[in-house]
Amino acid sequence: MKRSIVVRGTSRRHAPIISSVLAILLLPFHVQAQTPPAHDMTQMQSMQPMAPMQKAVPTSAPGESGMKDMDGMKGMDGMKGMDGMKDMDGMKSMDGMKGMDGLKGMDGMKGMDGMKDMKDMKDMKDMKDMKDMKDMKGMDGMDGMKGMGSSAVMKPMQGGSPPPDARDPDAYADGLAPGPQSGMKAEDQQHYTQIMLNRFEAFNSNDSHGQVLEAQAWTGGDINKLWLKVDGERSAGKLGATRTEALWDHVIAPYWSLQTGVRHDFGDGPGRNWAVIGVQGLAPYWFDVQASAYVGPGGRTALRVDTDYDIFISKRVVLQPNVKVDAYGKSDPARGIGAGFSSVGAGLRLRYIASRKIEPYVGVVWDRKLSGTAQYARDAGASAQETRVVAGLRLWY
């Protein structure tokens, strides 16, 4: 059964034009046998389409018969803004509109404001060439109305072969092939050497005067090094107790190394040999720490801890406190050493960084012999406690 579409609120002169526009919109769709409710357009997809809807018969006024057979309206892209088609009550039964789930209430036809009361269509009276509107090729805007519920599939933005004039990725190498290069070694492949005289100073006290040397030297890479240490003094023209060590230094953590090797004592008594194991590094809050344990023949053992800290008063002026403790497991009367804590020393030095490699300083040092070691010193006629004024250089190469 055909349904007539009644357009109210328009003049008879505009009725054929409106009917033609409706025919354009309804041609791509099919009419179903039973009309679903107008408010539930989403259920229309599952209904069987009927035969194509016949062209709407315009209720035209006399003299307007030229608007028939408008199948040939190609290129009607210019008919934008048709929101003004009010009072379209007759369009509630638009059967067969498959795939138009997104056109509920026809809200998307917002650009149709310009056709209120069809005033802008006065120039469309002589549309004699608008025949055979079957193809509707010009209505490009209707192409996307099929299956509007699905999103378009995007193609990959890149891919394929590079253009023939693309830049060679190795062009910046200037023809240099990959391989080892001079001066570009890494991961412990580079070899370094350093000599550091931490304290090369002269001292003076009430009981004695003399010189002190505390130095270190190492050679090797970033991970493994050969490390040498010497710590001794000369007092009243005589060599005093002096300690030398030859160590293998191996990095075990950031800022920390494990050191193992041998130690030899000479001066101020018979020589002694020791096996050494210890650590050296930078503790939290920038304390420079050296801690070593020693084992010698006859069950002798020893422990030594030496730490200092740099306080920068300015970029060139540095105040350095220093603390040193020695302990022994057994007494060694030949060298004047008692069991237990044998000595403790503290110093305070103020140095000036004249250059990166030369730093003169002045300071004061306090030494105290403890327990059995203090008794051996008294028996020899020496003092168990001494305060020294020092001046010296800190050098490295």
Side-chain angles (χ1 to χ4, degrees), residues 310-320 349-354 356 359:
D310 287 343
I311 303 172
F312 280 80
I313 299 175
S314 69
K315 290 184 177 180
R316 290 185 176 269
V317 180
V318 182
L319 183 65
Q320 184 188 66
R349 296 172 175 86
L350 182 68
R351 72 176 187 265
Y352 176 76
I353 303 176
R356 291 289 185 181
E359 303 175 21

Side-chain angles (χ1 to χ4, degrees), residues 34 66 93 105 171 198 232 251 268 273 284 316 337 350 371 383:
Q34 295 181 358
S93 56
N198 289 327
V251 173
D268 198 15
N273 296 317
R316 290 185 176 269
I337 297 173
L350 182 68
S371 61
S383 175

Side-chain angles (χ1 to χ4, degrees), residues 106-376:
M106 301 187 70
D107 295 335
M109 300 175 63
K110 293 181 179 180
M112 304 174 70
D113 297 336
M115 293 189 66
K116 294 181 180 180
D117 297 332
M118 307 297 289
K119 292 179 181 180
D120 296 336
M121 299 186 65
K122 295 180 181 179
D123 297 334
M124 297 179 64
K125 293 180 180 180
D126 298 328
M127 299 176 68
K128 296 180 180 180
D129 297 332
M130 298 173 64
K131 298 179 182 180
D132 301 326
M133 297 179 66
K134 298 178 181 179
D135 296 332
M136 296 181 70
K137 296 179 180 179
M139 298 186 69
D140 298 334
M142 301 290 289
D143 296 337
M145 295 178 65
K146 296 180 180 181
M148 294 179 67
S150 60
S151 59
V153 179
M154 295 181 65
K155 297 181 179 180
M157 298 180 65
Q158 296 181 356
S161 301
D165 58 345
R167 178 182 289 273
D168 184 2
D170 298 327
Y172 290 105
D174 196 20
L176 184 64
Q181 302 179 30
S182 177
M184 299 297 290
K185 295 181 180 179
E187 297 181 359
D188 202 30
Q189 297 177 1
Q190 194 67 271
H191 188 87
Y192 304 96
T193 299
Q194 186 183 50
I195 300 174
M196 173 72 76
L197 276 68
N198 289 327
R199 298 181 183 98
F200 182 47
E201 64 190 27
F203 69 88
N204 188 25
S205 68
N206 294 331
D207 297 333
S208 64
H209 60 87
Q211 299 81 36
V212 173
L213 175 64
E214 182 180 330
Q216 300 186 37
W218 57 264
T219 181
D222 293 331
I223 306 299
N224 298 293
K225 301 178 182 69
L226 172 63
W227 205 291
L228 304 175
K229 297 181 181 181
V230 58
D231 182 7
E233 66 177 52
R234 181 176 179 272
S235 177
K238 182 181 178 182
L239 183 64
T242 302
R243 170 182 59 92
T244 57
E245 298 181 9
L247 308 169
W248 170 64
D249 181 277
H250 178 73
V251 173
I252 57 174
Y255 309 109
W256 287 96
S257 297
L258 174 68
Q259 296 180 335
T260 182
V262 293
R263 165 185 166 180
H264 177 68
D265 294 342
F266 58 94
D268 198 15
R272 297 283 186 258
N273 296 317
W274 310 79
V276 185
I277 186 170
V279 294
Q280 178 170 333
L282 198 63
Y285 301 100
W286 307 100
F287 285 91
D288 190 1
V289 177
Q290 301 178 51
S292 301
Y294 306 92
V295 178
R300 291 192 301 269
T301 58
L303 179 66
R304 180 182 179 90
V305 177
D306 190 353
T307 180
D308 52 54
Y309 181 75
D310 287 343
I311 303 172
F312 280 80
I313 299 175
S314 69
K315 290 184 177 180
R316 290 185 176 269
V317 180
V318 182
L319 183 65
Q320 184 188 66
N322 168 259
V323 176
K324 179 168 50 177
V325 178
D326 288 294
Y328 290 86
K330 291 179 65 175
S331 297
D332 189 354
R335 293 186 61 86
I337 297 173
F341 286 98
S342 64
S343 64
V344 58
L348 189 64
R349 296 172 175 86
L350 182 68
R351 72 176 187 265
Y352 176 76
I353 303 176
S355 70
R356 291 289 185 181
K357 297 184 178 182
I358 302 176
E359 303 175 21
Y361 65 86
V362 295
V364 59
V365 176
W366 175 79
D367 285 322
R368 170 73 178 178
K369 294 180 174 61
L370 305 174
S371 61
T373 305
Q375 186 60 45
Y376 287 133

